[in-house]
Amino acid sequence: MKQLIKFSLNHIPRPVLQRIAGWAVPVAGLFYKYRRRGGVECPVCGAKYRKFLPYGYVQPRPNALCPKCLSLERHRLLWLYLTRETDLLTAFPRTLHIAPEVCIMRHLKPHFKSHPGQYVTADLESPLADLHFDVQQIPLADGSVDVVICNHIMEHVADDRRAMRELHRVLKPGGWGIVLSPVDRDYEQTYEDDSITDPDERTRIFGQYDHRRIYGADYADRLRQAGFQVADIDYAATFTEAERRLYALPADHIYVVYKV
């Protein structure tokens, strides 16, 4: 299973994966159904399994992908934060969701159904998104959204600082957002080298063929330089060890941005 998932991630175009994952992954999940105590539970969809599916481009991580809703570790942590620490699922702020995670979009679309236009999804190429654009040049007016959700995008774009400024521009004063990226705190400064263009070499160095940088401990500072106030929250640490095992949560931080 690990090798099949690794091959699919590295060789099947992303739009195709997005179309087939909705039925192919749940079928694979039949082999992981919950049969005994001590399994895992997805907080996004409530499904229970012996363990989650492996997932990863280079070295597949065990216990990562929920077969039912396709949530990964970071999605489960994000969902817990959104539902427990924000009013996104009880109010109807105008929300821009860039590169929408399917598992989360499935909840937000029904929630906003009675408020047309308040929830907008966007992606460079995904067939699931409402709008298609480059996050480095967002075709929306200044201060036009209340909430921005943009996760695991900045490590892909050529000019991440410009993309961060664009997110700040379209956010209303008083608005907030969550902007997550993979961060390696062993790096004091973000590492990037645009001279590395070979896909295999990029995969070896950056962990994925389409990543352009490894964010370090300065990630929050880069967001601040774009104009945001930033809360760097070690949210996983607020859960017990048993809860972290149950939900298969990562040690990632949640980066909440605010525009004053």
Side-chain angles (χ1 to χ4, degrees), residues 152-188:
H152 283 235
I153 298 302
M154 295 301 161
E155 66 272 20
H156 295 269
V157 302
D159 189 344
D160 64 324
R161 295 181 185 274
R162 179 180 177 183
M164 291 174 182
R165 291 194 300 270
E166 278 291 274
L167 294 180
H168 183 268
R169 179 185 65 79
V170 302
L171 193 62
K172 292 179 182 178
W176 62 275
I178 297 180
V179 184
L180 306 183
S181 295
V183 173
D184 187 338
R185 292 180 171 273
D186 289 337
Y187 286 76
E188 184 176 344

Side-chain angles (χ1 to χ4, degrees):
M1 184 63 72
K2 287 183 180 180
Q3 294 307 313
L4 175 61
I5 291 175
K6 179 180 177 180
F7 177 86
S8 299
L9 290 172
N10 284 286
H11 295 90
I12 299 177
R14 182 167 172 258
V16 177
L17 280 175
Q18 288 169 325
R19 288 187 181 278
I20 67 175
W23 61 265
V25 176
V27 169
L30 294 175
F31 298 96
Y32 287 74
K33 288 301 291 183
Y34 183 80
R35 295 191 183 94
R36 57 182 175 82
R37 296 179 63 184
V40 294
E41 178 180 337
C42 177
V44 184
C45 68
K48 297 180 180 181
Y49 294 92
R50 290 187 293 112
K51 58 183 178 179
F52 294 125
L53 291 168
Y55 186 91
Y57 282 77
V58 181
Q59 184 62 41
R61 307 182 303 277
N63 205 27
L65 178 68
C66 172
K68 182 176 180 181
C69 73
L70 311 184
S71 72
L72 292 169
E73 307 98 319
R74 65 177 185 266
H75 303 142
R76 295 189 285 275
L77 186 66
L78 171 61
W79 181 250
L80 288 166
Y81 184 86
L82 289 175
T83 54
R84 297 185 181 189
E85 312 297 337
T86 80
D87 65 353
L88 187 61
L89 272 294
T90 57
F92 301 94
R94 186 155 196 254
T95 301
L96 175 62
H97 192 176
I98 297 176
E101 301 89 346
V102 172
C103 57
I104 293 175
M105 181 173 62
R106 284 174 176 167
H107 288 279
L108 294 183
K109 273 189 175 292
H111 171 70
F112 282 93
K113 187 176 181 180
S114 61
H115 292 69
Q118 287 299 96
Y119 176 64
V120 179
T121 60
D123 192 90
L124 184 62
E125 57 184 12
S126 171
L128 305 177
D130 301 320
L131 303 178
H132 296 94
F133 58 72
D134 188 329
V135 72
Q136 298 167 104
Q137 190 171 359
I138 301 175
L140 297 177
D142 296 1
S144 57
V145 299
D146 300 296
V147 176
V148 168
I149 301 174
C150 180
N151 300 320
H152 283 235
I153 298 302
M154 295 301 161
E155 66 272 20
H156 295 269
V157 302
D159 189 344
D160 64 324
R161 295 181 185 274
R162 179 180 177 183
M164 291 174 182
R165 291 194 300 270
E166 278 291 274
L167 294 180
H168 183 268
R169 179 185 65 79
V170 302
L171 193 62
K172 292 179 182 178
W176 62 275
I178 297 180
V179 184
L180 306 183
S181 295
V183 173
D184 187 338
R185 292 180 171 273
D186 289 337
Y187 286 76
E188 184 176 344
Q189 300 289 326
T190 294
Y191 172 71
E192 49 193 333
D193 185 349
D194 287 340
S195 70
I196 303 171
T197 58
D198 178 70
D200 291 337
E201 188 69 359
R202 280 199 169 276
T203 298
R204 185 183 69 81
I205 294 174
F206 297 112
Q208 199 166 307
Y209 70 91
D210 55 353
H211 283 191
R212 305 179 71 103
R213 58 189 58 85
I214 300 172
Y215 284 110
D218 63 334
Y219 178 65
D221 289 334
R222 289 169 86 99
L223 290 167
R224 292 186 184 102
Q225 290 163 10
F228 291 114
Q229 290 188 351
V230 182
D232 177 352
I233 304 170
D234 186 1
Y235 193 55
T238 67
F239 294 87
T240 66
E241 184 178 347
E243 288 173 322
R244 292 195 294 271
R245 286 198 306 268
L246 176 65
Y247 300 137
L249 299 179
D252 300 355
H253 287 204
I254 296 287
Y255 294 87
V256 186
V257 298
Y258 304 91
K259 182 174 180 178
V260 297

